[in-house]
Amino acid sequence: MTKSRSGFSAAVLISGNGSNLQAFIDAVTARELDIELAVVISNKANAYGLSRANKAGVAAMTVPSIDYQNRADFEVALARAVDSYEPDIIVLAGFMRILTPSFVSRYAGRIINIHPSLLPKYPGLHTHQRVLDAGERWHGCTVHYVSGELDGGPAIIQGRVPVLDHDDEDQLAARVLEVEHRIFPRALALIANGRIRLEDAEVWYDGQKLLEPIQLTS
Ligand code: GRF
């Protein structure tokens, strides 16, 4: 894997397919994202994203949530794994476990997540079907800092997609996922080069308070 010049490193947490992880790997390889992918950690041993990491020469490991009696014990093991790589940021890329406020505060301002909706609309699961059921005309995805609240925390960047007349859940999900793969590396690049930062629970972009999330335009 290409070495970063910035020295900024990320631990990517996944649970499954890892297509967002692949977007990071591709962006780093293309030198569009100057970070080091320090480690990929999955809470599921069969996550396909682990193979993607191996193929790219990125350290990969599993901390199987199923092996732990409770959330607190799992998070102790997860933190130990994360800390052994000393990442600058923890990136939740399809990591399907809720993290407790205690874990989040340990890495205050250093965890970001991608969520498949235009937050604050549709936090939680099954966002695509809920958007279709509600008859929305627009849908999308949001990269945000993680707070103790489910899919809460200050938004950084959003990408919007139209909901088309005959969309089903899979078609809509695929259209959103394509945009996820564009906004997530972009958000990470902005953080790595210091243009985006979190201060007092607010996002600052090029020295100005960000009042609305950045919108993906191209
Ligand atoms: C994405 O839709 C992401 O927004 C959600 O889980 C999915 C993960 O996809 N949190 P992948 O594992 O990156 O392919």
Side-chain angles (χ1 to χ4, degrees):
M1 182 94 272
T2 322
K3 277 280 162 212
S4 81
R5 283 154 286 137
S6 65
F8 188 92
S9 71
V12 182
L13 273 49
I14 62 165
S15 298
N17 180 28
S19 69
N20 278 288
L21 164 67
Q22 189 67 51
F24 298 140
I25 292 170
D26 294 346
V28 169
T29 305
R31 296 184 177 274
E32 288 159 9
L33 177 61
D34 180 24
I35 65 164
E36 185 200 343
L37 293 169
V39 64
V40 171
I41 303 174
S42 173
N43 69 311
K44 296 213 167 151
N46 61 355
Y48 180 62
L50 292 168
S51 308
R52 296 180 190 269
N54 284 327
K55 194 165 167 215
V58 176
M61 62 191 291
T62 306
V63 179
S65 39
I66 201 160
D67 286 1
Y68 296 88
Q69 298 257 340
N70 55 54
R71 217 174 272 279
D73 288 352
F74 166 66
E75 288 186 353
V76 168
L78 183 62
R80 196 171 299 141
V82 166
D83 291 349
S84 66
Y85 287 88
E86 300 182 352
D88 294 297
I89 195 153
I90 298 173
V91 181
L92 309 183
F95 183 67
M96 303 305 283
R97 295 284 300 188
I98 293 173
L99 295 169
T100 64
S102 131
F103 186 93
V104 172
S105 63
R106 178 186 178 100
Y107 303 100
R110 295 201 292 131
I111 312 181
I112 60 172
N113 179 46
I114 192 155
H115 181 75
S117 80
L118 297 170
L119 289 172
K121 291 176 106 172
Y122 304 102
L125 296 173
H126 312 300
T127 56
H128 311 301
Q129 190 58 53
R130 285 157 63 207
V131 161
L132 289 172
D133 292 346
E136 299 275 8
R137 300 318 301 165
W138 289 94
H139 185 30
C141 46
T142 307
V143 177
H144 63 95
Y145 282 101
V146 172
S147 68
E149 238 172 90
L150 177 69
D151 300 321
I156 300 166
I157 181 167
Q158 288 187 323
R160 290 159 68 86
V161 302
V163 180
L164 304 182
D165 280 347
H166 301 292
D167 268 346
D168 63 22
E169 189 180 4
D170 289 346
Q171 288 167 323
L172 186 55
R175 194 173 310 120
V176 171
L177 196 58
E178 236 172 73
V179 177
E180 293 186 30
H181 298 160
R182 290 159 63 202
I183 66 170
F184 215 1
R186 203 167 291 195
L188 201 43
L190 288 169
I191 294 169
N193 65 22
R195 293 182 64 191
I196 284 280
R197 63 191 170 82
L198 187 72
E199 200 179 298
D200 297 332
E202 288 179 311
V203 180
W204 290 71
Y205 179 32
D206 283 344
Q208 310 241 353
K209 204 178 281 184
L210 191 64
L211 301 174
E212 296 287 334
I214 301 166
Q215 298 295 322
L216 180 76
T217 47
S218 63

